[in-house]
């Protein structure tokens, strides 16, 4: 075996995709719940796009990107320093819903509503009283679309409260409160922007459990044990490992002997992922060799 052959056998394995899991905040959406929310937000996106097209008098399209769970503090920190945050009251709840989009996009919508053609770029600034009144009307219609899209998932009344322009000062919920956040792309004419809708998790999760129930977490440990019992693993049966130098490996040739530290009468080692779990002697299973367990390292129970 030449050094070039050794290099060929030591090619790096393909990179694996790893998803980071935050153990500090294990609350995540179940797959069934996530899909139900995605359907609701996609319906809202279509309704909102149709409403904007009718009001702004130019073709508008709203596309949903993702739905996730975040604390309100994380959500606010992800927003631009200056943006339009429409705070919406939820009946019987202190936390508020949020519809967020760039102020420049909203001013472009208002300009078209007042007869403009959108040729002039809109600045990013706070709204005047007239502009705020027009944006409020747009948002009231959007809230009706949101209620219609969610149906029984959002049974409480929604109403316009105020517009904030700084995410750090808009107190829609407590910093640690969980929010269901959906991100959107809003394309109105030639203008494209990113927007979000955030709903307090406490307002929708109870209805999700009733509308689309999932397995109860009470027996999660038992379900995990049952599932792990069916996960396939690779078992190896072999001699005790021996340590050699790389130069000895590079000089290997047909007929060479490698001294082993495994006593002749010692049983073979049974390993899983390099961990010894038992010892076994050679046996037969029909015409095939088999390993007959003679002792174990740990209790299977």
């Amino acid at each position: 075996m030449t050094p070039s052959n050794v290099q060929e056998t030591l090619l790096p394995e393909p990179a694996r995709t790893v998803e980071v899991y935050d153990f500090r905040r294990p609350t995540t959406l179940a797959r069934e719940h996530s899909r139900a929310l995605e359907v609701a937000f996609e319906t809202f996106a279509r309704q909102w796009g149709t409403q904007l097209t009718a009001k702004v008098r130019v073709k508008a399209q709203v596309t949903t990107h993702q739905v996730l769970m975040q604390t309100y503090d994380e959500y606010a920190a992800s927003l631009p320093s200056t943006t339009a945050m429409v705070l919406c009251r939820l009946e019987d709840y202190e936390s508020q819903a949020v519809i967020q989009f760039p102020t420049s996009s909203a001013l472009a919508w208002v300009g078209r509503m007042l007869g403009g053609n959108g040729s002039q770029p809109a600045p990013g600034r706070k709204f005047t009283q007239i502009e705020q009144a027009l944006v409020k009307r747009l948002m009231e219609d959007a809230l009706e679309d949101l209620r219609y899209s969610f149906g029984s998932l959002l049974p409480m009344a929604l109403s316009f409260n105020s517009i904030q322009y700084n995410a750090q000062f808009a107190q829609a919920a407590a910093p640690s409160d969980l929010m269901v956040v959906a991100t959107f792309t809003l394309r109105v004419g030639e203008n494209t922007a990113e927007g979000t809708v955030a709903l307090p998790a406490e307002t929708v999760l109870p209805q999700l459990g009733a509308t689309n129930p999932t397995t109860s977490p009470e027996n999660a440990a038992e379900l995990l044990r049952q599932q792990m019992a069916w996960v396939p693993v690779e078992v190896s049966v072999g001699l005790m490992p021996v340590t050699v130098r790389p130069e000895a490996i590079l000089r290997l040739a047909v007929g060479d002997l490698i001294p082993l530290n495994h006593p002749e009468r010692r049983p073979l080692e049974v390993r899983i992922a390099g961990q010894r779990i038992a010892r076994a002697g050679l046996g037969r299973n029909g015409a095939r060799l088999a390993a007959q367990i003679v002792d174990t390292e740990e209790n299977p129970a």
Side-chain angles (χ1 to χ4, degrees):
M1 181 181 294
T2 64
S4 60
N5 291 335
V6 173
Q7 292 178 359
E8 291 178 0
T9 60
L10 298 179
L11 292 176
E13 297 182 358
R16 298 181 180 179
T17 302
V18 179
E19 295 184 4
V20 178
Y21 184 82
D22 190 352
F23 286 92
R24 296 171 300 177
R25 196 185 73 249
T27 304
T28 56
L29 288 169
R31 182 179 301 177
E32 297 85 351
H33 292 174
S34 180
R35 182 53 190 157
L37 288 170
E38 287 173 359
V39 171
F41 278 116
E42 287 168 0
T43 303
F44 167 67
R46 290 192 296 269
Q47 296 288 331
W48 194 11
T50 301
Q51 179 247 118
L52 284 174
T53 299
K55 296 293 177 61
V56 182
R57 298 180 298 106
V58 67
K59 183 178 179 181
Q61 184 178 10
V62 182
T63 307
T64 309
H65 284 302
Q66 66 174 345
V67 178
L68 51 91
M69 290 265 282
Q70 290 181 310
T71 63
Y72 178 74
D73 189 49
E74 291 173 328
Y75 168 62
S78 69
L79 301 179
S81 57
T82 302
T83 188
M85 293 181 67
V86 180
L87 306 187
C88 310
R89 295 189 188 92
L90 291 155
E91 186 180 12
D92 299 329
Y93 288 91
E94 293 185 4
S95 300
Q96 302 183 73
V98 179
I99 301 179
Q100 175 270 328
F101 43 82
T103 55
S104 57
S105 297
L107 290 173
W109 305 342
V110 169
R112 287 184 177 275
M113 293 172 69
L114 295 177
N117 57 11
S119 59
Q120 297 295 325
R125 57 169 174 79
K126 295 182 179 181
F127 306 147
T128 64
Q129 290 185 349
I130 294 177
E131 292 165 348
Q132 182 163 323
L134 292 173
V135 172
K136 177 182 177 182
R137 182 57 189 273
L138 284 175
M139 291 300 100
E140 288 175 342
D141 292 340
L143 290 178
E144 292 181 6
D145 293 335
L146 188 63
R147 280 280 295 107
Y148 167 80
S149 302
F150 273 71
S152 61
L153 296 180
L154 199 64
M156 68 289 298
L158 273 168
S159 60
F160 177 93
N161 183 15
S162 63
I163 299 178
Q164 300 291 329
Y165 301 97
N166 191 313
Q168 301 305 314
F169 296 120
Q171 299 298 322
S176 59
D177 285 355
L178 286 172
M179 308 289 285
V180 177
V181 181
T183 57
F184 301 89
T185 294
L186 301 94
R187 183 177 181 84
V188 181
E190 298 301 321
N191 179 271
T192 301
E194 299 297 320
T196 61
V197 173
L199 299 173
E202 61 179 342
T203 64
V204 294
L205 292 187
Q207 288 72 245
L208 279 172
T211 303
N212 201 350
T214 58
T215 304
S216 171
E218 295 178 359
N219 61 337
E222 179 62 27
L223 292 175
L224 179 60
R225 283 193 293 269
Q226 293 178 5
Q227 181 63 29
M228 289 299 295
W230 289 94
V231 175
V233 295
E234 292 186 357
V235 178
S236 63
V237 180
L239 307 173
M240 292 175 58
V242 61
T243 302
V244 296
R245 295 178 179 178
E247 61 179 357
I249 299 298
L250 295 176
R251 295 174 180 174
L252 283 177
V254 177
D256 287 351
L257 296 177
I258 299 178
L260 300 176
N261 295 329
H262 195 102
E264 184 177 354
R265 298 183 180 276
R266 181 186 177 93
L268 302 178
E269 296 187 348
V270 181
R271 295 178 176 267
I272 294 179
Q275 178 66 40
R276 187 175 66 188
I277 62 168
R279 294 191 299 176
L282 285 178
R284 286 186 175 277
N285 183 17
R288 297 178 179 272
L289 287 175
Q292 185 174 4
I293 303 298
V294 297
D295 62 47
T296 59
E297 295 288 333
E298 58 187 35
N299 189 348

